[in-house]
Amino acid sequence: MSHHEPTLVLFFKRPKLGFGKQRLAASIGPEKAYQIAECLLLCATEDMKTWEGRCVFAVEARDDLDWASALLRREMAGSQFDLIAQSEGNLGERLNHVDHYVRDKGAKHVYFIGSDAPILSPKFYQFIFSQVSDYDITLASSDDGGVTLMGGRKPWPDMIGLPWSTDSLGDELRSLCEEKHLSVKVLDGHYDIDTLTDLKRCIDDLRGDNRPQRKRLCKVFDELNLVGHG
C-alpha cells in the first residue's frame, strides 16, 4: 500500500464503564452508555475497514494498546493497518503529534475521525477520498459546532489553544487554518452523538442501513429499550 494514498486516522479511547459519554450516561445510565460506546467504536472501525487508503488507529492510552490490538485483529481481519498510542496533552496537542508522526512515516494526505459519528456514509467517505488534492484543509462540520472529520494535504498548525469540546470549535479551527494561509473546504458532516437526543436521531437515520455494525447499533438500542428514556 502506497504511503501517498490518503491516510484515515481513527482517534479513539477504550470504552469503559463509568468513563466517557457522560452526557449520554446521565440520561440512560453508565451501563447502557458503555454498551452504546462499544457499538459506536465498532461503527467507526467498520468505516476504517472500507477506507481505500492507509488506516491508522490512535488509541488514547498506551496501556490500552494490547486491548486495541486484539480488537483490531478481529475487526480488521484481512486488512492492513497501523496501531499507535496518542501522546499526552489536550486534544489539539495529541492531534498535532499523531499528524507529525504519520507524515514522518510518509503520509501526505491525513484525515482524522472520532468514534462518535456513525451517520457518516460510504458516499461521504468516497467524496472525501476524491477531494484530497483540492484543498489544504477539509473540515466536516457537526451540528453542535464541532467537526466530525478534519484533515488535509498539509500539516496542521499548532492546535493546542483551540476551544475543544465547545460549539465554537469549528469556526475557530477554520479561522486558525486561514490565518496560516491554508485553503479550507467545509463540508456538511451532519452530527455526532453526545446526548440521548443525538442517539435517537441517529437510530432513526440509520434504520435500513445495511452496514453490519450500524445494524448492530440499532439492535442494541432496541434491546436496551431506550425509546422511552428522556
Side-chain angles (χ1 to χ4, degrees):
M1 186 175 295
S2 170
H3 285 337
H4 295 286
E5 291 182 308
T7 298
L8 187 62
V9 182
L10 174 61
F11 252 58
F12 70 106
K13 63 178 66 176
R14 181 178 184 175
K16 295 180 181 179
L17 184 63
F19 294 91
K21 289 293 168 208
Q22 293 302 306
R23 295 171 66 189
L24 184 61
S27 298
I28 66 176
E31 292 186 3
K32 292 181 179 180
Y34 166 72
Q35 293 183 61
I36 294 297
E38 285 191 315
C39 290
L40 295 177
L41 176 55
L42 291 177
C43 287
T45 302
E46 185 172 58
D47 294 345
M48 298 289 284
K49 191 167 186 177
T50 58
W51 179 252
E52 297 177 7
R54 294 180 66 201
C55 293
V56 177
F57 291 83
V59 67
E60 182 181 57
R62 185 168 298 278
D63 289 345
D64 290 328
L65 279 170
D66 288 343
W67 161 82
S69 179
L71 172 74
L72 296 175
R73 284 198 303 270
R74 181 183 75 240
E75 298 299 327
M76 297 288 290
S79 301
Q80 293 183 325
F81 64 88
D82 295 310
L83 171 63
I84 61 175
Q86 298 172 30
S87 64
E88 300 294 328
N90 72 8
L91 182 55
E93 290 176 278
R94 290 181 277 129
L95 285 166
N96 280 137
H97 178 266
V98 172
D99 188 55
H100 291 318
Y101 175 86
V102 296
R103 290 182 190 280
D104 285 345
K105 296 294 183 179
K108 301 298 182 183
H109 302 90
V110 182
Y111 293 82
F112 293 97
I113 60 170
S115 59
D116 294 339
I119 192 59
L120 297 181
S121 67
K123 183 177 180 180
F124 172 86
Y125 285 108
Q126 289 166 6
F127 181 78
I128 290 294
F129 194 93
S130 70
Q131 299 294 308
V132 293
S133 297
D134 291 348
Y135 294 89
D136 296 329
I137 298 295
T138 302
L139 302 175
S141 62
S142 175
D143 285 356
D144 63 3
V147 293
T148 56
L149 176 143
M150 50 182 289
R153 61 183 182 179
K154 292 185 179 181
W156 286 92
D158 186 345
M159 297 183 288
I160 186 174
L162 289 175
W164 299 100
S165 300
T166 71
D167 59 8
S168 63
L169 172 64
D171 289 340
E172 293 289 341
L173 183 54
R174 179 177 185 172
S175 295
L176 172 65
C177 293
E178 290 176 340
E179 288 172 4
K180 301 299 182 181
H181 307 292
L182 299 171
S183 60
V184 180
K185 175 68 173 179
V186 179
L187 306 173
D188 182 4
H190 304 291
Y191 57 91
D192 53 18
I193 296 177
D194 294 313
T195 67
L196 179 57
T197 299
D198 299 329
L199 178 60
K200 289 180 176 179
R201 176 186 178 187
C202 182
I203 296 301
D204 287 342
D205 288 340
L206 291 179
R207 297 292 187 188
D209 192 312
N210 290 321
R211 287 174 289 177
Q213 295 302 338
R214 269 65 175 188
K215 293 172 68 174
R216 182 177 184 270
L217 173 61
C218 292
K219 183 174 183 290
V220 169
F221 177 89
D222 292 338
E223 291 175 345
L224 293 177
N225 194 27
L226 296 179
V227 173
H229 281 72

